[in-house]
Amino acid sequence: MTFWRQLRWQILAAEMLVVLVGVVALFATAGVLAERNVPPELLPDVRATVSQALVFAAGAAALAGLAAGLLLTRAILRPLQQLAQSSRRIADGRYDQRLAVPRSDELADVARSFNQMAAALQQVEQQRVTLIGNVAHELRTPLAGIEGYLEGLVDGVFSSDVETLGAMQHEVRRLRRLVDDLQQLSRVEAGQIVLNIDAIDLPSLVQRVVTQLQPQAIAQCLRIEVESDPADLYVLADADRTAQILVNLVGNAIQYTPEGGCITLRVSSDAALAQVAVEDTGVGIPPEALPYLFERFYRVDPSRARSSGGSGIGLTIARHLAWAMGGELSAASAGRGKGSTFTLTLPLAPSHTHPH
Ligand code: ADP
C-alpha cells in the first residue's frame, strides 16, 4: 500500500496544507501591510518581529494540526479496521461477529448496518443448518422402515409375500413423495417455477378439485360443500398451481377432520381480490402454532402427521405458489377442536367476466 493512498496520511497532509496556506497568507499580508503602514526606519525590526511570531505560530499550528489529525485518524481508522477484520471473519464463516458502535453518528450508522447484516447472515446460516438436519431426519424414518423389512427378509423373519412387499412399497412411495416435495420446495423458493397465468373461472376450478377429492372425503364420512358468490369469478392465475394449492388445503382438511365433519369451500370477492376459504370442523390449530404453520417441516402434532405420511412442507409450497401468483395464503383457527380455515387469495382478472 503506497502511503499517500492511506487515509491517515491524507488527513495529515490536509491539515498541514491548511497550516502552510495560513502561514504563507499571513506572511504575505503582514509584509504588504507593514510596508504601507510602518515608517521605513522601523521596517526591519517589524519584519523580524513578525517573522519570529510567524515561526512560532506556524510551529504551534503544525503541532495542533498533527495532534488533531492523529486523533481524527484514530477515531476513523480504528472502526474501519475493525469493520475490515470482522468482514473477513464473517467471510470465513464466523457469523457471531459484531462491531462495537462508535460515538460518531456516521460511523455508528455503518456499524449498526454491519451488525444487522451479520445477524441476518447468522439467521440464514442457522436456517440452513436446521434444514439439513430436518431433511436428514425426514429421510431416516422411511429408510429405517425399508431397512427393517429388508433385514427381516434376509433373516427369514418375513416372507416375501404381498403384505411385506406392499409395506415396503408404501415406505418407498413415502420417500419418493418426500424427495419430490423437497425438489418442488427448492424450486418455488428459488422462484424457478414457470407459471402459466391466465384468466380462470375460480368457482368451476374449486368444483373440479372437490369432485376429485370427493371419494376420499366419502371414505372418511365427511361432507364437502361449495358456496360461491358470485357464481362466476375470473382470477388471474395458473390453473394447475391453483388446483395444486386447493388439493393440498382440502386434502389437509380431510386428514385433520374426524368422521362426520364438514368441509366448506367459500368463494367470494372484493374490489381487487378473489378468495377461497377452505373451512373445516376438524381438530383445529392452537393459537401458538398458527405463526409457524407455513414453515418448512412444521407440524402441530408430529407423531400423528408423520404416521399419515405428511412431510410438513405442503403448506410451505402452497404459500410460495400463492405468492408467485400475486396472491396470499393464510390460516385461522379458533383453537384446538374448533376447526380451521385456510384462505387463498388471488388477483381478479381485469374484467370480472369471461375474457372471450
Ligand atoms: P402435512 O404434510 O404434515 O399435512 P402441511 O404443510 O400440509 O404438512 O401442514 C402442516 C401442519 O399444519 C400439519 O402437520 C397440521 O398439523 C397442520 N394443519 C394443516 N392443515 C390443517 C387443518 N385443516 N386442520 C388442522 N391442522 C392442520
Side-chain angles (χ1 to χ4, degrees):
M1 212 191 299
T2 20
F3 82 96
W4 66 82
R5 280 216 230 122
Q6 290 182 10
L7 201 54
R8 183 196 316 265
W9 300 115
Q10 289 171 356
I11 290 176
L12 279 182
E15 303 265 4
M16 290 309 119
L17 190 67
V18 171
V19 173
L20 195 69
V21 169
V23 168
V24 169
L26 204 61
F27 196 73
T29 26
V32 171
L33 288 177
E35 233 156 277
R36 263 201 224 149
N37 303 330
V38 177
E41 65 277 13
L42 292 178
L43 206 54
D45 283 348
V46 170
R47 278 224 173 104
T49 315
V50 167
S51 301
Q52 259 175 19
L54 267 178
V55 169
F56 278 115
L63 277 180
L66 203 64
L70 282 178
L71 284 178
L72 197 63
T73 44
R74 261 168 62 114
I76 297 177
L77 288 185
R78 185 163 297 167
L80 285 182
Q81 277 160 354
Q82 279 168 356
L83 183 71
Q85 207 173 39
S86 297
S87 305
R88 278 194 292 272
R89 292 221 184 101
I90 285 190
D92 288 341
R94 291 171 57 185
Y95 296 97
D96 56 346
Q97 294 295 308
R98 296 293 180 274
L99 287 180
V101 178
R103 253 175 301 171
S104 84
D105 278 353
E106 293 86 344
L107 289 172
D109 226 19
V110 173
R112 270 194 287 268
S113 304
F114 178 90
N115 287 346
Q116 266 170 12
M117 182 200 69
L121 282 173
Q122 192 171 22
Q123 203 188 351
V124 170
E125 171 65 8
Q126 187 62 46
Q127 283 173 351
R128 197 180 64 86
V129 171
T130 314
L131 180 64
I132 295 174
N134 281 335
V135 171
H137 183 80
E138 297 299 328
L139 290 172
R140 184 168 295 128
T141 319
L143 271 180
I146 297 167
E147 195 178 23
Y149 286 120
L150 276 176
E151 273 169 13
L153 283 173
V154 171
D155 297 345
V157 182
F158 295 141
S159 56
S160 60
D161 54 14
V162 178
E163 203 181 323
T164 312
L165 293 176
M168 288 178 73
Q169 196 176 30
H170 178 74
E171 297 294 344
V172 171
R173 284 209 183 110
R174 217 166 118 172
L175 209 52
R176 146 121 270 150
R177 203 164 50 225
L178 178 64
V179 172
D180 286 348
D181 280 356
L182 281 171
Q183 188 175 35
Q184 203 178 23
L185 178 70
S186 90
R187 286 217 183 110
V188 327
E189 289 197 334
Q192 285 174 349
I193 294 270
V194 181
L195 292 173
N196 191 2
I197 302 282
D198 208 351
I200 53 171
D201 182 22
L202 193 56
S204 54
L205 184 87
V206 167
Q207 194 56 57
R208 267 212 308 280
V209 169
V210 168
T211 312
Q212 181 190 336
L213 292 176
Q214 194 84 46
Q216 210 179 319
I218 291 171
Q220 303 214 20
C221 303
L222 294 170
R223 212 150 33 88
I224 307 192
E225 284 170 6
V226 179
E227 288 174 14
S228 183
D229 178 30
D232 286 324
L233 191 58
Y234 283 85
V235 290
L236 274 187
D238 179 312
D240 292 340
R241 300 302 179 187
T242 309
Q244 183 184 347
I245 298 172
L246 290 173
V247 166
N248 192 316
L249 296 181
V250 178
N252 276 350
I254 293 175
Q255 189 177 343
Y256 296 105
T257 306
E259 284 189 8
C262 183
I263 298 163
T264 314
L265 284 88
R266 271 181 240 283
V267 185
S268 61
S269 73
D270 60 22
L273 298 166
Q275 286 188 338
V276 190
V278 181
E279 204 180 300
D280 66 52
T281 57
V283 298
I285 299 152
E288 66 273 13
L290 274 176
Y292 307 106
L293 221 52
F294 295 94
E295 281 185 8
R296 297 180 285 226
F297 300 112
Y298 182 81
R299 306 176 183 95
V300 178
D301 183 354
S303 56
R304 174 188 168 140
R306 203 167 290 138
S307 66
S308 60
S311 60
I313 45 182
L315 285 178
T316 320
I317 295 175
R319 180 179 249 182
H320 275 283
L321 287 177
W323 284 344
M325 295 191 285
E328 179 58 272
L329 180 60
S330 59
S333 171
R336 256 186 218 287
K338 299 202 172 127
S340 327
T341 305
F342 286 80
T343 307
L344 170 66
T345 311
L346 288 170
L348 282 177
S351 130
H352 295 188
T353 50
H354 197 281
H356 304 302

